[in-house]
Amino acid sequence: MSDVEDGRDFAGVPDEFQRLWTPHRMAYIQAGPEPLREECPFCEAPKHPDAERLIVARGETAYVLLNLFPYNSGHLLVCPYRHIATYDQATPEEVAEIGALTQIGMRVLRDVSRCDGFNLGMNQGAVAGAGVDGHLHQHIVPRWTSDANFFPIIAKTKALPQLLGEVREAVAGAWPSGPDAP
């Protein structure tokens, strides 16, 4: 299940380096440093098939998708369909659905990934750290007690144990549907 290979098992001269394979990143590397910057990625995503844009659930005023550049496996974003920049511009209906989808997302992630906690947040404006500052989005980042990953500190690398497509299938498959679902 691990994508880390022991360098001593490679052909040629053995070394002490471990290799961390992240094949899904090639799509982002090939897209260039700022994919979809001519169009808002959160306005563009709902126009495409869910699996193609990593959408796991759709509501009436908001939807949920996986983050293309996740902090952890299962990192979700809850976005209103409407292109608004800040939370205070959201309608009461959007606020309610963003909240409801966030709660469902937390329940689904807890079930699917067995996470122990979450970081929730909205970075509003470039100065506040928003990567897409023109379109409001809430982060749901699953966390685990045993996750003491030191890569981000020493190597500016984050180890993600699952590919985005696999995570999307698991989360979308576990997302509730029917008359009681938002």
Side-chain angles (χ1 to χ4, degrees), residues 9-133:
D9 296 333
F10 289 135
V13 179
D15 60 32
E16 296 303 314
F17 289 99
Q18 300 291 318
R19 271 60 174 195
L20 178 65
W21 300 106
T22 56
H24 63 279
R25 299 291 294 171
M26 185 52 71
Y28 314 123
I29 292 167
Q30 290 173 340
E34 301 213 15
L36 288 174
R37 287 302 184 217
E38 292 178 16
E39 300 287 332
C40 171
F42 299 137
C43 289
E44 191 64 24
K47 298 175 186 175
H48 298 270
D50 290 355
E52 180 183 309
R53 295 302 166 103
L54 303 174
I55 295 172
V56 298
R58 293 176 184 254
E60 294 295 318
T61 65
Y63 68 99
V64 182
L65 74 164
L66 287 172
N67 190 330
L68 284 175
F69 304 101
Y71 293 118
N72 276 334
S73 292
H75 181 169
L76 298 176
L77 300 172
V78 182
C79 305
Y81 291 110
R82 209 164 53 97
H83 187 85
I84 56 173
T86 59
Y87 193 62
D88 59 328
Q89 296 172 333
T91 65
E93 294 79 18
E94 289 167 330
V95 168
E97 189 163 51
I98 289 168
L101 291 171
T102 298
Q103 287 183 326
I104 294 168
M106 292 170 65
R107 290 179 191 121
V108 169
L109 286 172
R110 199 177 287 117
D111 183 52
V112 168
S113 71
R114 310 252 190 281
C115 59
D116 301 307
F118 299 93
N119 291 117
L120 301 177
M122 295 182 185
N123 302 324
Q124 297 178 41
V127 70
V132 179
D133 62 348

Side-chain angles (χ1 to χ4, degrees), residues 4 12 68 96 138:
V4 177
L68 284 175
Q138 172 146 287

